[in-house]
Amino acid sequence: MSNGRALSPAVHSDAEAQSLLKDFLALIKIGIVNSNMITTFTGLFLAIQLSNERFFQNLDVLFFALGGTGLIIAGSAALNNLIDRDIDPIMSRTKSRPTVTGRFKAPPVLALALTFIVVGEFLLFSASFAAGLWGLAGVFSYVVLYSMWSKRKHVGNTVVGSISGAIPPLIGWAAFEPSLGAGAWALFLIMFIWQPPHFYALAMRRTDEYRAANIPMLPVVKGFARTKKSMLIWVLLLFPLPFLLTELGAGFLILATLLNIGWLYFALRGFKAKDDLKWATTMFVYSLNYMTILFVSIIIFSLFI
């Protein structure tokens, strides 16, 4: 019994540390940080491969690009949580964020966010001036254009938010090659066009919550039928984009086209779906797998250039 009493403070301390870590990761939106670092790495890796340089001779650039990108995204995400702390309690997906529960107060969150962004930008500028500038563009487009301006005012907020989500591969590319090539813009366009159908699917699943929070998402303002048509158009726009990366070979073009056909198939099924929310979930899950498979395949096929 005495051993149990002696261990209880340590157990409590460990649980508190885990809880604190969980809240911190929620504050910086670690899932978004990780996914964007993957696209950053893809941009950098493809730029190196296309230049016939050696990847392992540029590990310093890799450190600056990934470290800097991760920090500016984490800082921007924390600022987004601060900006949205008045509406986050309304939505079940966001009501447990530490800026809502009061676990993290506004002043230290602001200080942490700005510190992350400043340090992140220092790392990006250490990679290249262009990478630093693209990093600033990403922060501005996410924090100002999306979080502070369009999110609560315009039905096109998802499209505006897609700008920031498409910038990380440009940062990675610019870290190695400041003059962006066609491949960099191909990655940008893929990321930009992928995001609306991905987030519209999520918005359909959370329509009631967005409506309660007065966020003019497309399903809230225009309804599900209009959203399905828009998603179909965005998916169709993806079809020509793999052909901007012909250097990756026929295997990549075939795989990317098959992925697009698969997404088109599910998009078309939406017009006959009896359960819109179930269909939206299918579209959302497919979009995640689509992006993972596509960007991993870009990395793999670039090894054979």
Side-chain angles (χ1 to χ4, degrees):
M1 294 295 291
S2 60
N3 288 339
R5 288 193 296 271
L7 289 174
S8 60
V11 172
H12 174 75
S13 177
D14 184 59
E16 178 65 18
Q18 291 182 11
S19 175
L20 183 63
L21 176 62
K22 181 180 178 180
D23 282 340
F24 172 74
L25 295 179
L27 176 71
I28 65 172
K29 301 184 180 181
I30 191 62
I32 293 177
V33 172
N34 290 338
S35 61
N36 280 280
M37 287 180 70
I38 291 173
T39 62
T40 303
F41 176 83
T42 303
L44 172 63
F45 192 79
L46 185 57
I48 293 174
Q49 292 299 108
L50 290 175
S51 68
N52 294 317
E53 292 282 343
R54 294 182 180 275
F55 174 74
F56 289 105
Q57 292 180 348
N58 292 279
L59 292 181
D60 56 335
V61 178
L62 175 68
F63 168 78
F64 291 139
L66 293 186
T69 301
L71 285 172
I72 66 169
I73 293 174
S76 297
L79 289 179
N80 173 266
N81 280 342
L82 278 183
I83 294 167
D84 285 350
R85 66 187 186 277
D86 61 322
I87 59 174
D88 280 346
I90 301 173
M91 305 181 66
S92 60
R93 183 172 62 90
T94 58
K95 65 182 181 181
S96 61
R97 285 177 175 172
T99 45
V100 174
T101 62
R103 179 66 175 269
F104 296 155
K105 302 300 182 182
V109 169
L110 178 61
L112 178 70
L114 294 179
T115 300
F116 276 7
I117 291 172
V118 170
V119 175
E121 280 299 318
F122 174 80
L123 293 176
L124 291 181
F125 276 112
S126 297
S128 77
F129 188 73
L133 289 181
W134 281 114
L136 290 174
V139 172
F140 179 79
S141 59
Y142 182 68
V143 175
V144 179
L145 295 183
Y146 173 67
S147 299
M148 298 178 66
W149 173 59
S150 66
K151 182 174 181 177
R152 306 189 191 205
K153 296 181 179 180
H154 301 286
V155 70
N157 53 14
T158 302
V159 178
V160 174
S162 297
I163 298 173
S164 59
I167 286 179
L170 297 185
I171 296 175
W173 190 294
F176 176 78
E177 179 51 64
S179 57
L180 300 176
W185 292 109
L187 297 179
F188 173 87
L189 288 173
I190 290 171
M191 280 300 302
F192 178 78
I193 293 174
W194 169 83
Q195 288 174 91
H198 168 75
F199 285 109
Y200 288 154
L202 175 62
M204 287 181 66
R205 298 167 61 199
R206 304 287 184 177
T207 297
D208 291 340
E209 295 181 21
Y210 280 117
R211 183 179 290 114
N214 201 29
I215 302 298
M217 300 296 289
L218 185 63
V220 174
V221 178
K222 301 292 185 178
F224 282 4
R226 173 66 176 80
T227 302
K228 290 179 181 180
K229 293 177 183 178
S230 181
M231 292 168 74
L232 174 62
I233 292 172
W234 285 106
V235 169
L236 287 171
L237 289 175
L238 284 168
F239 272 77
L241 298 185
F243 295 91
L244 298 176
L245 295 169
T246 54
E247 300 93 340
L248 297 179
F252 169 76
L253 297 179
I254 292 172
L255 175 60
T257 300
L258 289 175
L259 287 172
N260 287 332
I261 291 173
W263 207 357
L264 175 62
Y265 166 75
F266 286 114
L268 290 172
R269 283 185 58 183
F271 294 99
K272 295 184 178 180
K274 296 181 179 179
D275 187 334
D276 286 335
L277 297 184
K278 183 177 180 180
W279 171 80
T281 300
T282 300
M283 286 288 283
F284 181 76
V285 172
Y286 187 90
S287 69
L288 293 174
N289 291 322
Y290 174 99
M291 185 51 57
T292 301
I293 295 171
L294 186 68
F295 271 75
V296 170
S297 69
I298 289 174
I299 295 171
I300 293 174
F301 281 103
S302 69
L303 292 171
F304 302 97
I305 295 177

